[in-house]
mmCIF file of all heavy atoms in Angstrom:
data_model
loop_
_atom_site.group_PDB
_atom_site.id
_atom_site.type_symbol
_atom_site.label_atom_id
_atom_site.label_comp_id
_atom_site.label_asym_id
_atom_site.label_seq_id
_atom_site.Cartn_x
_atom_site.Cartn_y
_atom_site.Cartn_z
ATOM 1 N N PRO A 274 136.492 96.743 90.770
ATOM 2 C CA PRO A 274 136.657 96.650 92.231
ATOM 3 C C PRO A 274 135.403 97.000 93.015
ATOM 4 O O PRO A 274 135.275 96.610 94.184
ATOM 5 C CB PRO A 274 137.797 97.637 92.526
ATOM 6 C CG PRO A 274 137.864 98.544 91.344
ATOM 7 C CD PRO A 274 137.431 97.719 90.180
ATOM 8 N N MET A 275 134.470 97.721 92.394
ATOM 9 C CA MET A 275 133.270 98.099 93.144
ATOM 10 C C MET A 275 132.438 96.894 93.564
ATOM 11 O O MET A 275 131.663 96.964 94.518
ATOM 12 C CB MET A 275 132.416 99.087 92.339
ATOM 13 C CG MET A 275 132.976 100.502 92.364
ATOM 14 S SD MET A 275 131.788 101.775 91.882
ATOM 15 C CE MET A 275 131.794 101.595 90.096
ATOM 16 N N TRP A 276 132.589 95.765 92.857
ATOM 17 C CA TRP A 276 131.859 94.560 93.252
ATOM 18 C C TRP A 276 132.220 94.112 94.663
ATOM 19 O O TRP A 276 131.372 93.543 95.375
ATOM 20 C CB TRP A 276 132.158 93.419 92.276
ATOM 21 C CG TRP A 276 131.482 93.513 90.948
ATOM 22 C CD1 TRP A 276 132.083 93.744 89.741
ATOM 23 C CD2 TRP A 276 130.089 93.371 90.665
ATOM 24 N NE1 TRP A 276 131.155 93.760 88.724
ATOM 25 C CE2 TRP A 276 129.915 93.524 89.259
ATOM 26 C CE3 TRP A 276 128.965 93.122 91.457
ATOM 27 C CZ2 TRP A 276 128.662 93.441 88.644
ATOM 28 C CZ3 TRP A 276 127.723 93.037 90.843
ATOM 29 C CH2 TRP A 276 127.580 93.198 89.454
ATOM 30 N N SER A 277 133.460 94.324 95.036
ATOM 31 C CA SER A 277 133.920 93.777 96.322
ATOM 32 C C SER A 277 134.145 94.836 97.393
ATOM 33 O O SER A 277 134.532 94.496 98.520
ATOM 34 C CB SER A 277 135.212 92.985 96.113
ATOM 35 O OG SER A 277 136.212 93.790 95.498
ATOM 36 N N LEU A 278 133.919 96.097 97.082
ATOM 37 C CA LEU A 278 134.120 97.132 98.087
ATOM 38 C C LEU A 278 132.984 97.109 99.109
ATOM 39 O O LEU A 278 131.804 97.098 98.732
ATOM 40 C CB LEU A 278 134.184 98.513 97.429
ATOM 41 C CG LEU A 278 135.421 98.815 96.585
ATOM 42 C CD1 LEU A 278 135.265 100.155 95.881
ATOM 43 C CD2 LEU A 278 136.669 98.819 97.467
ATOM 44 N N PRO A 279 133.287 97.134 100.394
ATOM 45 C CA PRO A 279 132.236 97.086 101.414
ATOM 46 C C PRO A 279 131.386 98.344 101.463
ATOM 47 O O PRO A 279 130.282 98.322 102.013
ATOM 48 C CB PRO A 279 133.028 96.896 102.719
ATOM 49 C CG PRO A 279 134.374 97.475 102.431
ATOM 50 C CD PRO A 279 134.638 97.165 100.992
ATOM 51 N N ASN A 280 131.882 99.441 100.897
ATOM 52 C CA ASN A 280 131.131 100.698 100.916
ATOM 53 C C ASN A 280 130.384 100.948 99.605
ATOM 54 O O ASN A 280 129.901 102.048 99.367
ATOM 55 C CB ASN A 280 132.055 101.879 101.223
ATOM 56 C CG ASN A 280 133.283 101.922 100.333
ATOM 57 O OD1 ASN A 280 133.716 100.905 99.802
ATOM 58 N ND2 ASN A 280 133.869 103.088 100.169
ATOM 59 N N ALA A 281 130.300 99.922 98.751
ATOM 60 C CA ALA A 281 129.532 100.024 97.509
ATOM 61 C C ALA A 281 128.487 98.908 97.481
ATOM 62 O O ALA A 281 128.809 97.739 97.675
ATOM 63 C CB ALA A 281 130.448 99.903 96.294
ATOM 64 N N THR A 282 127.240 99.286 97.254
ATOM 65 C CA THR A 282 126.150 98.313 97.134
ATOM 66 C C THR A 282 125.609 98.394 95.722
ATOM 67 O O THR A 282 125.162 99.455 95.274
ATOM 68 C CB THR A 282 125.029 98.610 98.141
ATOM 69 O OG1 THR A 282 125.556 98.543 99.470
ATOM 70 C CG2 THR A 282 123.894 97.607 97.995
ATOM 71 N N LEU A 283 125.669 97.273 94.994
ATOM 72 C CA LEU A 283 125.196 97.220 93.617
ATOM 73 C C LEU A 283 123.951 96.341 93.543
ATOM 74 O O LEU A 283 123.964 95.200 94.010
ATOM 75 C CB LEU A 283 126.276 96.647 92.696
ATOM 76 C CG LEU A 283 127.664 97.302 92.764
ATOM 77 C CD1 LEU A 283 128.621 96.582 91.829
ATOM 78 C CD2 LEU A 283 127.579 98.774 92.406
ATOM 79 N N THR A 284 122.886 96.878 92.980
ATOM 80 C CA THR A 284 121.670 96.090 92.769
ATOM 81 C C THR A 284 121.354 96.064 91.273
ATOM 82 O O THR A 284 121.719 96.984 90.543
ATOM 83 C CB THR A 284 120.475 96.660 93.565
ATOM 84 O OG1 THR A 284 120.241 98.011 93.175
ATOM 85 C CG2 THR A 284 120.745 96.606 95.061
ATOM 86 N N PRO A 285 120.687 95.005 90.791
ATOM 87 C CA PRO A 285 120.550 94.774 89.343
ATOM 88 C C PRO A 285 119.370 95.492 88.682
ATOM 89 O O PRO A 285 118.508 94.875 88.078
ATOM 90 C CB PRO A 285 120.403 93.251 89.256
ATOM 91 C CG PRO A 285 119.694 92.894 90.526
ATOM 92 C CD PRO A 285 120.230 93.828 91.570
ATOM 93 N N HIS A 286 119.360 96.820 88.762
ATOM 94 C CA HIS A 286 118.339 97.640 88.094
ATOM 95 C C HIS A 286 116.938 97.170 88.485
ATOM 96 O O HIS A 286 116.078 96.909 87.637
ATOM 97 C CB HIS A 286 118.522 97.583 86.576
ATOM 98 C CG HIS A 286 117.974 98.786 85.865
ATOM 99 N ND1 HIS A 286 118.580 99.350 84.769
ATOM 100 C CD2 HIS A 286 116.876 99.547 86.097
ATOM 101 C CE1 HIS A 286 117.885 100.395 84.353
ATOM 102 N NE2 HIS A 286 116.833 100.534 85.149
ATOM 103 N N ILE A 287 116.691 97.124 89.794
ATOM 104 C CA ILE A 287 115.414 96.603 90.296
ATOM 105 C C ILE A 287 114.513 97.693 90.864
ATOM 106 O O ILE A 287 113.393 97.405 91.299
ATOM 107 C CB ILE A 287 115.646 95.545 91.398
ATOM 108 C CG1 ILE A 287 116.450 96.138 92.562
ATOM 109 C CG2 ILE A 287 116.321 94.316 90.827
ATOM 110 C CD1 ILE A 287 116.542 95.230 93.772
ATOM 111 N N ALA A 288 114.971 98.948 90.853
ATOM 112 C CA ALA A 288 114.187 100.001 91.504
ATOM 113 C C ALA A 288 112.850 100.243 90.811
ATOM 114 O O ALA A 288 111.849 100.547 91.467
ATOM 115 C CB ALA A 288 114.988 101.303 91.556
ATOM 116 N N GLY A 289 112.810 100.110 89.483
ATOM 117 C CA GLY A 289 111.558 100.307 88.758
ATOM 118 C C GLY A 289 110.560 99.201 89.051
ATOM 119 O O GLY A 289 110.826 98.271 89.818
ATOM 120 N N SER A 290 109.393 99.306 88.452
ATOM 121 C CA SER A 290 108.289 98.386 88.736
ATOM 122 C C SER A 290 108.684 96.925 88.539
ATOM 123 O O SER A 290 109.219 96.546 87.495
ATOM 124 C CB SER A 290 107.102 98.711 87.837
ATOM 125 O OG SER A 290 106.632 100.019 88.091
ATOM 126 N N GLN A 291 108.392 96.111 89.559
ATOM 127 C CA GLN A 291 108.675 94.679 89.524
ATOM 128 C C GLN A 291 107.464 93.934 90.087
ATOM 129 O O GLN A 291 106.737 94.452 90.926
ATOM 130 C CB GLN A 291 109.905 94.337 90.377
ATOM 131 C CG GLN A 291 111.158 95.109 90.045
ATOM 132 C CD GLN A 291 111.726 94.781 88.683
ATOM 133 O OE1 GLN A 291 111.531 93.684 88.164
ATOM 134 N NE2 GLN A 291 112.418 95.738 88.088
ATOM 135 N N GLY A 292 107.281 92.697 89.642
ATOM 136 C CA GLY A 292 106.233 91.847 90.210
ATOM 137 C C GLY A 292 104.872 92.513 90.192
ATOM 138 O O GLY A 292 104.410 93.029 89.175
ATOM 139 N N GLY A 293 104.228 92.541 91.360
ATOM 140 C CA GLY A 293 102.904 93.130 91.470
ATOM 141 C C GLY A 293 102.867 94.610 91.159
ATOM 142 O O GLY A 293 101.800 95.143 90.821
ATOM 143 N N GLU A 294 104.024 95.269 91.252
ATOM 144 C CA GLU A 294 104.062 96.705 90.928
ATOM 145 C C GLU A 294 103.738 96.961 89.463
ATOM 146 O O GLU A 294 103.295 98.067 89.105
ATOM 147 C CB GLU A 294 105.443 97.271 91.269
ATOM 148 C CG GLU A 294 105.754 97.259 92.750
ATOM 149 C CD GLU A 294 107.224 97.517 93.049
ATOM 150 O OE1 GLU A 294 108.057 97.334 92.151
ATOM 151 O OE2 GLU A 294 107.531 97.902 94.197
ATOM 152 N N LEU A 295 103.941 95.957 88.620
ATOM 153 C CA LEU A 295 103.603 96.108 87.210
ATOM 154 C C LEU A 295 102.100 96.302 87.010
ATOM 155 O O LEU A 295 101.669 96.922 86.032
ATOM 156 C CB LEU A 295 104.079 94.891 86.416
ATOM 157 C CG LEU A 295 105.597 94.692 86.349
ATOM 158 C CD1 LEU A 295 105.934 93.337 85.741
ATOM 159 C CD2 LEU A 295 106.269 95.801 85.560
ATOM 160 N N HIS A 296 101.309 95.784 87.949
ATOM 161 C CA HIS A 296 99.859 95.959 87.837
ATOM 162 C C HIS A 296 99.473 97.434 87.998
ATOM 163 O O HIS A 296 98.428 97.844 87.480
ATOM 164 C CB HIS A 296 99.135 95.109 88.882
ATOM 165 C CG HIS A 296 99.294 93.640 88.661
ATOM 166 N ND1 HIS A 296 99.131 92.714 89.662
ATOM 167 C CD2 HIS A 296 99.604 92.926 87.544
ATOM 168 C CE1 HIS A 296 99.336 91.504 89.192
ATOM 169 N NE2 HIS A 296 99.629 91.608 87.908
ATOM 170 N N ARG A 297 100.290 98.207 88.699
ATOM 171 C CA ARG A 297 100.025 99.640 88.801
ATOM 172 C C ARG A 297 100.123 100.290 87.418
ATOM 173 O O ARG A 297 99.343 101.179 87.079
ATOM 174 C CB ARG A 297 101.001 100.297 89.775
ATOM 175 C CG ARG A 297 100.733 101.785 89.973
ATOM 176 C CD ARG A 297 101.860 102.476 90.714
ATOM 177 N NE ARG A 297 101.831 102.223 92.147
ATOM 178 C CZ ARG A 297 102.811 101.643 92.826
ATOM 179 N NH1 ARG A 297 103.909 101.225 92.200
ATOM 180 N NH2 ARG A 297 102.715 101.488 94.137
ATOM 181 N N LEU A 298 101.091 99.829 86.627
ATOM 182 C CA LEU A 298 101.235 100.346 85.267
ATOM 183 C C LEU A 298 100.058 99.909 84.392
ATOM 184 O O LEU A 298 99.547 100.690 83.580
ATOM 185 C CB LEU A 298 102.549 99.863 84.658
ATOM 186 C CG LEU A 298 103.819 100.361 85.361
ATOM 187 C CD1 LEU A 298 105.048 99.697 84.753
ATOM 188 C CD2 LEU A 298 103.931 101.864 85.274
ATOM 189 N N GLY A 299 99.632 98.656 84.560
ATOM 190 C CA GLY A 299 98.458 98.190 83.837
ATOM 191 C C GLY A 299 97.211 98.962 84.237
ATOM 192 O O GLY A 299 96.389 99.332 83.387
ATOM 193 N N ARG A 300 97.083 99.204 85.550
ATOM 194 C CA ARG A 300 95.957 99.983 86.056
ATOM 195 C C ARG A 300 95.937 101.376 85.413
ATOM 196 O O ARG A 300 94.886 101.872 84.990
ATOM 197 C CB ARG A 300 96.094 100.108 87.574
ATOM 198 C CG ARG A 300 95.172 101.070 88.302
ATOM 199 C CD ARG A 300 93.806 100.496 88.474
ATOM 200 N NE ARG A 300 92.932 100.842 87.372
ATOM 201 C CZ ARG A 300 91.786 100.236 87.100
ATOM 202 N NH1 ARG A 300 91.394 99.210 87.832
ATOM 203 N NH2 ARG A 300 91.051 100.608 86.088
ATOM 204 N N GLY A 301 97.113 101.987 85.328
ATOM 205 C CA GLY A 301 97.203 103.309 84.733
ATOM 206 C C GLY A 301 96.800 103.307 83.267
ATOM 207 O O GLY A 301 96.134 104.231 82.791
ATOM 208 N N ALA A 302 97.193 102.256 82.539
ATOM 209 C CA ALA A 302 96.836 102.164 81.124
ATOM 210 C C ALA A 302 95.329 102.011 80.943
ATOM 211 O O ALA A 302 94.727 102.641 80.062
ATOM 212 C CB ALA A 302 97.573 100.988 80.481
ATOM 213 N N VAL A 303 94.706 101.182 81.772
ATOM 214 C CA VAL A 303 93.254 101.011 81.691
ATOM 215 C C VAL A 303 92.547 102.333 81.994
ATOM 216 O O VAL A 303 91.567 102.698 81.328
ATOM 217 C CB VAL A 303 92.777 99.902 82.649
ATOM 218 C CG1 VAL A 303 91.250 99.858 82.713
ATOM 219 C CG2 VAL A 303 93.330 98.549 82.205
ATOM 220 N N ASP A 304 93.046 103.071 82.971
ATOM 221 C CA ASP A 304 92.450 104.369 83.302
ATOM 222 C C ASP A 304 92.580 105.349 82.141
ATOM 223 O O ASP A 304 91.677 106.164 81.893
ATOM 224 C CB ASP A 304 93.111 104.949 84.554
ATOM 225 C CG ASP A 304 92.760 104.186 85.822
ATOM 226 O OD1 ASP A 304 91.785 103.403 85.792
ATOM 227 O OD2 ASP A 304 93.464 104.355 86.834
ATOM 228 N N GLU A 305 93.704 105.277 81.426
ATOM 229 C CA GLU A 305 93.885 106.154 80.261
ATOM 230 C C GLU A 305 92.901 105.787 79.152
ATOM 231 O O GLU A 305 92.334 106.672 78.485
ATOM 232 C CB GLU A 305 95.318 106.058 79.740
ATOM 233 C CG GLU A 305 96.381 106.650 80.653
ATOM 234 C CD GLU A 305 96.403 108.184 80.647
ATOM 235 O OE1 GLU A 305 95.506 108.809 80.044
ATOM 236 O OE2 GLU A 305 97.321 108.744 81.259
ATOM 237 N N VAL A 306 92.703 104.491 78.934
ATOM 238 C CA VAL A 306 91.750 104.052 77.910
ATOM 239 C C VAL A 306 90.338 104.501 78.295
ATOM 240 O O VAL A 306 89.572 104.980 77.449
ATOM 241 C CB VAL A 306 91.805 102.522 77.722
ATOM 242 C CG1 VAL A 306 90.672 102.047 76.810
ATOM 243 C CG2 VAL A 306 93.154 102.107 77.147
ATOM 244 N N ARG A 307 90.002 104.391 79.572
ATOM 245 C CA ARG A 307 88.676 104.821 80.025
ATOM 246 C C ARG A 307 88.486 106.320 79.794
ATOM 247 O O ARG A 307 87.413 106.761 79.347
ATOM 248 C CB ARG A 307 88.492 104.489 81.504
ATOM 249 C CG ARG A 307 87.097 104.828 82.035
ATOM 250 C CD ARG A 307 86.959 104.458 83.504
ATOM 251 N NE ARG A 307 87.062 103.024 83.707
ATOM 252 C CZ ARG A 307 86.063 102.177 83.518
ATOM 253 N NH1 ARG A 307 84.881 102.623 83.101
ATOM 254 N NH2 ARG A 307 86.227 100.888 83.739
ATOM 255 N N ALA A 308 89.528 107.108 80.079
ATOM 256 C CA ALA A 308 89.436 108.549 79.861
ATOM 257 C C ALA A 308 89.192 108.859 78.380
ATOM 258 O O ALA A 308 88.401 109.752 78.040
ATOM 259 C CB ALA A 308 90.709 109.236 80.346
ATOM 260 N N LEU A 309 89.860 108.115 77.511
ATOM 261 C CA LEU A 309 89.683 108.305 76.071
ATOM 262 C C LEU A 309 88.253 107.970 75.660
ATOM 263 O O LEU A 309 87.604 108.743 74.935
ATOM 264 C CB LEU A 309 90.678 107.424 75.306
ATOM 265 C CG LEU A 309 90.517 107.374 73.789
ATOM 266 C CD1 LEU A 309 90.791 108.736 73.170
ATOM 267 C CD2 LEU A 309 91.458 106.323 73.191
ATOM 268 N N ILE A 310 87.764 106.834 76.111
ATOM 269 C CA ILE A 310 86.424 106.384 75.747
ATOM 270 C C ILE A 310 85.370 107.376 76.231
ATOM 271 O O ILE A 310 84.376 107.647 75.545
ATOM 272 C CB ILE A 310 86.140 104.986 76.337
ATOM 273 C CG1 ILE A 310 87.100 103.946 75.746
ATOM 274 C CG2 ILE A 310 84.690 104.575 76.106
ATOM 275 C CD1 ILE A 310 86.959 103.733 74.272
ATOM 276 N N GLU A 311 85.589 107.936 77.421
ATOM 277 C CA GLU A 311 84.611 108.847 78.016
ATOM 278 C C GLU A 311 84.789 110.284 77.560
ATOM 279 O O GLU A 311 84.087 111.178 78.045
ATOM 280 C CB GLU A 311 84.690 108.751 79.543
ATOM 281 C CG GLU A 311 84.286 107.375 80.074
ATOM 282 C CD GLU A 311 84.422 107.255 81.577
ATOM 283 O OE1 GLU A 311 84.961 108.211 82.204
ATOM 284 O OE2 GLU A 311 83.995 106.231 82.141
ATOM 285 N N GLY A 312 85.756 110.529 76.663
ATOM 286 C CA GLY A 312 85.939 111.872 76.133
ATOM 287 C C GLY A 312 86.609 112.839 77.081
ATOM 288 O O GLY A 312 86.488 114.061 76.925
ATOM 289 N N ARG A 313 87.339 112.303 78.068
ATOM 290 C CA ARG A 313 88.050 113.154 79.028
ATOM 291 C C ARG A 313 89.496 113.356 78.597
ATOM 292 O O ARG A 313 90.041 112.556 77.827
ATOM 293 C CB ARG A 313 88.009 112.521 80.423
ATOM 294 C CG ARG A 313 86.619 112.485 81.033
ATOM 295 C CD ARG A 313 86.626 111.953 82.453
ATOM 296 N NE ARG A 313 86.778 110.497 82.503
ATOM 297 C CZ ARG A 313 87.843 109.862 82.961
ATOM 298 N NH1 ARG A 313 88.906 110.555 83.382
ATOM 299 N NH2 ARG A 313 87.874 108.536 82.992
ATOM 300 N N PRO A 314 90.153 114.404 79.101
ATOM 301 C CA PRO A 314 91.566 114.622 78.776
ATOM 302 C C PRO A 314 92.423 113.472 79.290
ATOM 303 O O PRO A 314 92.047 112.779 80.249
ATOM 304 C CB PRO A 314 91.911 115.930 79.505
ATOM 305 C CG PRO A 314 90.604 116.581 79.779
ATOM 306 C CD PRO A 314 89.606 115.476 79.963
ATOM 307 N N PRO A 315 93.569 113.237 78.681
ATOM 308 C CA PRO A 315 94.463 112.174 79.178
ATOM 309 C C PRO A 315 94.966 112.490 80.575
ATOM 310 O O PRO A 315 95.110 113.656 80.951
ATOM 311 C CB PRO A 315 95.604 112.171 78.156
ATOM 312 C CG PRO A 315 95.548 113.515 77.505
ATOM 313 C CD PRO A 315 94.117 113.928 77.504
ATOM 314 N N LEU A 316 95.221 111.444 81.348
ATOM 315 C CA LEU A 316 95.689 111.610 82.721
ATOM 316 C C LEU A 316 97.172 111.958 82.764
ATOM 317 O O LEU A 316 97.600 112.793 83.560
ATOM 318 C CB LEU A 316 95.416 110.333 83.522
ATOM 319 C CG LEU A 316 93.962 109.863 83.532
ATOM 320 C CD1 LEU A 316 93.842 108.521 84.232
ATOM 321 C CD2 LEU A 316 93.074 110.906 84.185
ATOM 322 N N HIS A 317 97.954 111.305 81.921
ATOM 323 C CA HIS A 317 99.398 111.537 81.873
ATOM 324 C C HIS A 317 99.841 111.680 80.417
ATOM 325 O O HIS A 317 100.488 110.789 79.860
ATOM 326 C CB HIS A 317 100.154 110.400 82.560
ATOM 327 C CG HIS A 317 99.784 110.213 84.001
ATOM 328 N ND1 HIS A 317 100.083 111.141 84.970
ATOM 329 C CD2 HIS A 317 99.125 109.204 84.623
ATOM 330 C CE1 HIS A 317 99.622 110.715 86.138
ATOM 331 N NE2 HIS A 317 99.041 109.550 85.958
ATOM 332 N N PRO A 318 99.494 112.817 79.795
ATOM 333 C CA PRO A 318 99.844 113.006 78.387
ATOM 334 C C PRO A 318 101.336 113.218 78.202
ATOM 335 O O PRO A 318 102.025 113.724 79.098
ATOM 336 C CB PRO A 318 99.068 114.273 78.013
ATOM 337 C CG PRO A 318 98.948 115.033 79.301
ATOM 338 C CD PRO A 318 98.798 113.978 80.365
ATOM 339 N N VAL A 319 101.844 112.824 77.060
ATOM 340 C CA VAL A 319 103.235 113.067 76.705
ATOM 341 C C VAL A 319 103.295 114.324 75.845
ATOM 342 O O VAL A 319 102.645 114.394 74.800
ATOM 343 C CB VAL A 319 103.839 111.871 75.942
ATOM 344 C CG1 VAL A 319 105.271 112.192 75.510
ATOM 345 C CG2 VAL A 319 103.803 110.614 76.799
ATOM 346 N N ASP A 320 104.063 115.301 76.285
ATOM 347 C CA ASP A 320 104.254 116.537 75.538
ATOM 348 C C ASP A 320 105.497 116.379 74.675
ATOM 349 O O ASP A 320 106.600 116.242 75.210
ATOM 350 C CB ASP A 320 104.418 117.715 76.504
ATOM 351 C CG ASP A 320 104.699 119.023 75.801
ATOM 352 O OD1 ASP A 320 104.623 119.060 74.561
ATOM 353 O OD2 ASP A 320 104.994 120.002 76.504
ATOM 354 N N PRO A 321 105.362 116.370 73.357
ATOM 355 C CA PRO A 321 106.548 116.158 72.514
ATOM 356 C C PRO A 321 107.626 117.200 72.747
ATOM 357 O O PRO A 321 108.809 116.912 72.570
ATOM 358 C CB PRO A 321 105.988 116.220 71.088
ATOM 359 C CG PRO A 321 104.662 116.906 71.205
ATOM 360 C CD PRO A 321 104.137 116.546 72.551
ATOM 361 N N ALA A 322 107.233 118.400 73.163
ATOM 362 C CA ALA A 322 108.215 119.457 73.406
ATOM 363 C C ALA A 322 109.121 119.122 74.590
ATOM 364 O O ALA A 322 110.237 119.658 74.698
ATOM 365 C CB ALA A 322 107.514 120.786 73.637
ATOM 366 N N SER A 323 108.638 118.247 75.487
ATOM 367 C CA SER A 323 109.418 117.935 76.687
ATOM 368 C C SER A 323 110.382 116.762 76.476
ATOM 369 O O SER A 323 111.205 116.473 77.353
ATOM 370 C CB SER A 323 108.480 117.592 77.845
ATOM 371 O OG SER A 323 107.817 116.340 77.611
ATOM 372 N N LEU A 324 110.278 116.063 75.340
ATOM 373 C CA LEU A 324 111.068 114.857 75.155
ATOM 374 C C LEU A 324 112.563 115.122 75.118
ATOM 375 O O LEU A 324 113.364 114.277 75.524
ATOM 376 C CB LEU A 324 110.644 114.154 73.855
ATOM 377 C CG LEU A 324 109.225 113.562 73.863
ATOM 378 C CD1 LEU A 324 108.916 112.911 72.529
ATOM 379 C CD2 LEU A 324 109.046 112.575 75.005
ATOM 380 N N ALA A 325 112.953 116.310 74.659
ATOM 381 C CA ALA A 325 114.378 116.625 74.573
ATOM 382 C C ALA A 325 115.040 116.751 75.943
ATOM 383 O O ALA A 325 116.263 116.628 76.063
ATOM 384 C CB ALA A 325 114.591 117.920 73.786
ATOM 385 N N THR A 326 114.234 116.980 76.976
ATOM 386 C CA THR A 326 114.797 117.161 78.316
ATOM 387 C C THR A 326 114.283 116.103 79.300
ATOM 388 O O THR A 326 114.420 116.283 80.503
ATOM 389 C CB THR A 326 114.471 118.564 78.869
ATOM 390 O OG1 THR A 326 113.045 118.757 78.867
ATOM 391 C CG2 THR A 326 115.123 119.632 78.012
#
Side-chain angles (χ1 to χ4, degrees):
M275 283 198 282
W276 285 111
S277 56
L278 290 174
N280 51 335
T282 300
L283 308 178
T284 58
H286 205 143
I287 58 171
S290 298
Q291 306 293 333
E294 294 167 340
L295 295 171
H296 294 158
R297 183 191 282 120
L298 296 174
R300 170 78 269 164
V303 172
D304 290 344
E305 291 285 7
V306 172
R307 184 179 295 279
L309 173 65
I310 297 296
E311 295 177 353
R313 293 184 284 112
L316 304 174
H317 301 293
V319 177
D320 177 8
S323 69
L324 293 179
T326 57

